[in-house]
Amino acid sequence: MKRREAFKKIGLFTIIGGSGLAFLSSCKHEASKEVIAAPLAAVATPKVKTEREKLIINRSNNSFADPNNPTKAELKHTPEIILGEKDSLGNTLVKITIGQAGIIHPATKQHWIDYIKVFVNNKLVAETEFANGGIRGFGHYYLALNQGDKIIAESGCNLHGIYESGLNI
Ligand SMILES: [Fe+2]
């Protein structure tokens, strides 16, 4: 209770102190007839979306409704992770394509995989954005991996949302 009373007093003092400062401040500016302009950085300017960004209308997270029997639509959106050879420095080739079981996601101007993200042990290590139309959701990465690491690949479809898959090393 004492702490609460102390905080109330501090809060009241702060309000009075702040008002007093504002009053003093306004008097000073009235006397000098000084006009203060807001700094440009403080003025919020709305971000203008690109045509590509306007087409990205679904950012919901999805998963297989039945993991033992995924639908073609689910497979079409889910990243497939394939490990390749190691390079001379020991980094492992990781191939990620969308989707699985040979079902390829469309790559048109209106419907496409707009990004892939790759995480190792929940840390984002790569992010690739794709233009709409003319490029398929696919990426090759060389990752420094250790036994026991977990790779997660995440993909975003502009119309159908976000899907992910994982692979334990
Ligand atoms: Fe899609």
Side-chain angles (χ1 to χ4, degrees), residues 129-144:
E129 289 190 346
F130 300 98
N132 52 321
I135 183 165
R136 184 181 156 199
F138 181 75
H140 280 186
Y141 308 90
Y142 275 99
L143 304 181

Side-chain angles (χ1 to χ4, degrees), residues 55 105-113 131-135 158-159:
L55 294 168
H105 189 277
T108 69
K109 280 206 168 288
Q110 301 300 318
H111 182 200
W112 81 105
I113 297 298
N132 52 321
I135 183 165
N158 71 309
L159 296 182

Side-chain angles (χ1 to χ4, degrees), residues 77 105 111 157 160:
H77 288 91
H105 189 277
H111 182 200
C157 165
H160 301 111

Side-chain angles (χ1 to χ4, degrees), residues 64 74-83 94-104 116 118 136-141 151-155 163-167:
F64 294 165
E74 289 169 337
L75 291 170
K76 184 168 61 179
H77 288 91
T78 304
E80 185 171 71
I81 305 169
I82 299 171
L83 298 183
V94 179
K95 303 174 186 178
I96 296 171
T97 187
I98 321 297
Q100 293 190 353
I103 304 171
I104 300 169
I116 291 174
V118 183
R136 184 181 156 199
F138 181 75
H140 280 186
Y141 308 90
I151 302 171
I152 292 178
E154 179 183 300
S155 64
Y163 289 77
E164 70 172 37
S165 61
L167 181 70

Side-chain angles (χ1 to χ4, degrees), residues 7-167:
F7 282 128
K8 281 185 183 173
K9 286 178 185 173
I10 291 168
L12 187 59
F13 178 77
T14 303
I15 292 167
I16 292 169
S19 302
L21 287 175
F23 174 74
L24 288 174
S25 177
S26 66
C27 290
K28 180 183 168 194
H29 294 308
E30 276 184 23
S32 65
K33 305 266 186 209
E34 187 178 339
V35 176
I36 297 177
L40 286 176
V43 178
T45 52
K47 185 179 182 299
V48 178
K49 284 189 173 185
T50 64
E51 289 304 310
R52 177 187 175 278
E53 288 170 332
K54 286 178 189 171
L55 294 168
I56 300 171
I57 60 173
N58 189 340
R59 290 292 79 148
S60 62
N61 290 300
N62 300 286
S63 58
F64 294 165
D66 177 1
N68 295 321
N69 193 22
T71 66
K72 281 190 174 181
E74 289 169 337
L75 291 170
K76 184 168 61 179
H77 288 91
T78 304
E80 185 171 71
I81 305 169
I82 299 171
L83 298 183
E85 297 294 319
K86 287 189 177 185
D87 66 15
S88 60
L89 298 178
N91 301 300
T92 304
L93 176 61
V94 179
K95 303 174 186 178
I96 296 171
T97 187
I98 321 297
Q100 293 190 353
I103 304 171
I104 300 169
H105 189 277
T108 69
K109 280 206 168 288
Q110 301 300 318
H111 182 200
W112 81 105
I113 297 298
D114 61 86
Y115 78 88
I116 291 174
K117 289 182 183 177
V118 183
F119 301 83
V120 176
N121 301 328
N122 295 318
K123 180 186 172 196
L124 179 67
V125 296
E127 181 171 6
T128 305
E129 289 190 346
F130 300 98
N132 52 321
I135 183 165
R136 184 181 156 199
F138 181 75
H140 280 186
Y141 308 90
Y142 275 99
L143 304 181
L145 298 171
N146 296 301
Q147 195 71 31
D149 285 347
K150 181 170 186 176
I151 302 171
I152 292 178
E154 179 183 300
S155 64
C157 165
N158 71 309
L159 296 182
H160 301 111
I162 297 167
Y163 289 77
E164 70 172 37
S165 61
L167 181 70

